Amino acid sequence: MNDPKVRRSRFMYIIEAALEYFISILVAGSYLATLTSELGISDGLTGVISSFISLGCLFQLLSVFLKRPRVKGVVIGLSVLNQLLFLLLYLIPLAGGGKQVKIAVFMAAIFVAYLIYNSVHPLKINWLMSLCEDKKRGVFTSQKEIVSLLSGMIFSFATGTMIDHYKAAGKIETAFILCGVTIFVLTVLHTLTMLFSVELPVESGETEKKNPLREMLGTLQDKTVVKVTVLFVIWHLATSSATPFYGTYLIKELGFSLQFVSILSIIYSLVRASVSTFWGKFADKNSFAVMVRLCLLIAGAGFFVNVFTVPANGAVFYTIYYALSAVSMGGINSALTNLVFDYVAPATRSNALALSQAVSGVAGFVTTLVVSGLVTYIQDSGNTLFGLPVYAQQVVSAIAFVFTMAAVLYVTLVIIPVKGKKK
């Protein structure tokens, strides 16, 4: 772990994560909503498209077919392909052809992009996280997040301001071209970070040729993996029932500009970066299970605030929600991944990650589909439900709050006791 090449690779991993985060910013949230609005896609369908991110997790199961003694080449090649498809999303609105054709191509491109991304993601995480000592994973993860968040804060503000400028000038096409060029440059730099990262020799036994389906079936039979997977599922039910519909809520009902959305992202990044190291040290000292329960309580408080977020108070209440979300997500993302690393043997970690992400991704996608119908119903009813005036996003926030509290109970009753037994 102290070899200069390994230390350099850990540094490259931090940069790689930041560059990948920049690209993800441009194809999600309000940026995705800007693209779908330009194409004339409805709010409900935009929510479904956003949930392709969750559905794409199903294809993490394909990683078992991609496993081999050396995964670096496969990871780099497929990462380049998936990012070029993200670039294509900004070119589709500029192309000729009918509206329905462009919408179909757009949906196909984002679907295939996330299919590729997710199929290779477990292999990439297992490769790059293996470069860090187990007892230092919490702090290392926090350092990686801080770099991504602070640099992403600047990137998001600059990009949002640029899009707003050209949109106000009636030149949204120019903004899309610049975003496409940006993704291309980021793809080149992202590829270089992985090329300059080393891949450690695999442990004995990991190079044995195994039947992929039988290998995944064996992972399914691991009771600890199943328990962790259920937590992934409950959390995805919470986020998938609400967050895919927030992007359009911000730029339509709440009337936020992309510049203000970028300011929110700055607040989010500053808050999350300020707590990231704390969560890392807290987890290394107390366990990721205890840490994730506390983070879920904070996330639930954020969804509860959004139940009362309307245009009259949107700038204040949504900012409070976003800040609470930043505090909670400073721990939740790393905790879920690290729970797998805590409980699962190195040889099956990528399978366990793939299984957890795949099952929870499908559950999240189905949830978004169901809730999308509810969103459309409320909006078609003049923003009323059971005769009461309410915005659809207030209702979905209440649903997310209930699921998040269920996750807190599950961690308390199931996950933490498992950790105690392992000790």
Side-chain angles (χ1 to χ4, degrees):
M1 290 299 172
N2 291 320
D3 184 281
K5 292 182 179 179
V6 176
R7 291 202 301 268
R8 181 197 68 200
S9 298
R10 285 198 293 269
F11 174 76
M12 286 295 171
Y13 184 21
I14 291 174
I15 303 303
E16 179 274 336
L19 294 171
E20 187 174 72
Y21 178 54
F22 295 169
I23 295 174
S24 72
I25 288 173
L26 291 174
V27 294
S30 298
Y31 294 91
L32 177 62
T34 300
L35 282 168
T36 57
S37 295
E38 185 68 21
L39 289 170
I41 297 174
S42 67
D43 288 6
L45 186 54
T46 296
V48 173
I49 292 173
S50 297
S51 69
F52 277 169
I53 299 172
S54 296
L55 180 63
C57 293
L58 171 64
F59 299 105
Q60 291 202 13
L61 292 176
L62 295 177
S63 65
V64 73
F65 295 97
L66 299 174
K67 284 182 70 175
R68 57 204 65 206
R70 297 291 181 179
V71 300
K72 180 176 176 178
V74 172
V75 170
I76 293 175
L78 292 179
S79 295
V80 170
L81 181 57
N82 114 263
Q83 289 165 0
L84 291 178
L85 285 170
F86 282 146
L87 186 159
L88 180 63
L89 299 181
Y90 277 93
L91 302 182
I92 292 172
L94 309 178
K99 171 183 173 182
Q100 296 304 318
V101 172
K102 290 198 285 189
I103 291 175
V105 173
F106 184 90
M107 293 180 66
I110 197 170
F111 179 81
V112 175
Y114 278 111
L115 184 158
I116 295 171
Y117 170 82
N118 283 286
S119 65
V120 78
H121 186 69
L123 301 180
K124 188 189 78 170
I125 295 298
N126 199 41
W127 160 32
L128 296 175
M129 282 299 291
S130 69
L131 302 172
C132 180
E133 295 178 54
D134 285 348
K135 293 182 179 180
K136 297 181 179 180
R137 278 190 281 111
V139 172
F140 176 76
T141 303
S142 70
Q143 292 171 342
K144 182 164 60 73
E145 275 209 343
I146 288 172
V147 172
S148 293
L149 291 168
L150 295 182
S151 56
M153 172 182 71
I154 299 171
F155 177 81
S156 180
F157 181 78
T159 306
T161 301
M162 179 271 293
I163 294 177
D164 280 342
H165 169 75
Y166 284 108
K167 188 175 182 180
K171 299 179 179 179
I172 191 66
E173 296 84 1
T174 302
F176 288 168
I177 291 173
L178 291 174
C179 286
V181 171
T182 300
I183 292 177
F184 178 78
V185 172
L186 291 173
T187 298
V188 172
L189 295 175
H190 180 262
T191 302
L192 290 174
T193 62
M194 292 191 289
L195 284 171
F196 288 114
S197 297
V198 299
E199 185 175 11
L200 297 179
V202 295
E203 296 183 7
S204 63
E206 291 186 57
T207 57
E208 298 176 7
K209 191 68 176 178
K210 300 177 182 178
N211 182 297
L213 296 179
R214 185 175 300 172
E215 190 177 343
M216 188 57 73
L217 181 61
T219 305
L220 277 168
Q221 294 173 338
D222 187 320
K223 292 182 180 180
T224 303
V225 172
V226 171
K227 288 179 180 178
V228 174
T229 298
V230 172
L231 176 59
F232 273 73
V233 169
I234 299 174
W235 174 238
H236 273 69
L237 293 179
T239 57
S240 298
S241 62
T243 54
F245 305 99
Y246 286 164
T248 55
Y249 194 48
L250 301 187
I251 64 175
K252 291 185 178 180
E253 286 86 351
L254 298 184
F256 295 170
S257 67
L258 283 181
Q259 186 178 56
F260 183 71
V261 172
S262 298
I263 292 173
L264 286 176
S265 296
I266 291 175
I267 295 172
Y268 180 94
S269 297
L270 289 174
V271 172
R272 185 163 168 175
S274 68
V275 301
S276 189
T277 299
F278 166 78
W279 285 133
K281 292 179 178 179
F282 183 91
D284 286 339
K285 181 180 180 180
N286 298 281
S287 86
F288 285 99
V290 173
M291 186 256 274
V292 77
R293 178 176 61 179
L294 183 56
C295 290
L296 286 168
L297 281 168
I298 297 171
F303 285 126
F304 186 75
V305 168
N306 252 6
V307 172
F308 305 98
T309 300
V310 294
N313 61 30
V316 175
F317 275 41
Y318 194 84
T319 300
I320 294 173
Y321 153 75
Y322 219 38
L324 290 171
S325 177
V327 173
S328 65
M329 293 307 294
I332 290 175
N333 278 353
S334 66
L336 291 177
T337 299
N338 279 294
L339 281 174
V340 175
F341 276 76
D342 273 351
Y343 298 148
V344 181
T348 56
R349 282 173 179 171
S350 64
N351 288 351
L353 281 170
L355 177 66
S356 299
Q357 295 283 5
V359 175
S360 59
V362 172
F365 180 71
V366 172
T367 300
T368 301
L369 284 179
V370 174
V371 175
S372 176
L374 176 63
V375 169
T376 301
Y377 173 79
I378 293 173
Q379 291 179 336
D380 289 347
S381 300
N383 292 320
T384 60
L385 182 65
F386 305 126
L388 300 174
V390 65
Y391 288 100
Q393 284 78 1
Q394 291 179 271
V395 177
V396 299
S397 296
I399 296 172
F401 170 75
V402 173
F403 279 129
T404 305
M405 291 302 99
V408 171
L409 288 175
Y410 183 80
V411 172
T412 302
L413 300 176
V414 179
I415 299 298
I416 290 179
V418 170
K419 183 64 177 175
K421 290 177 183 177
K422 288 186 72 67
K423 287 182 176 178

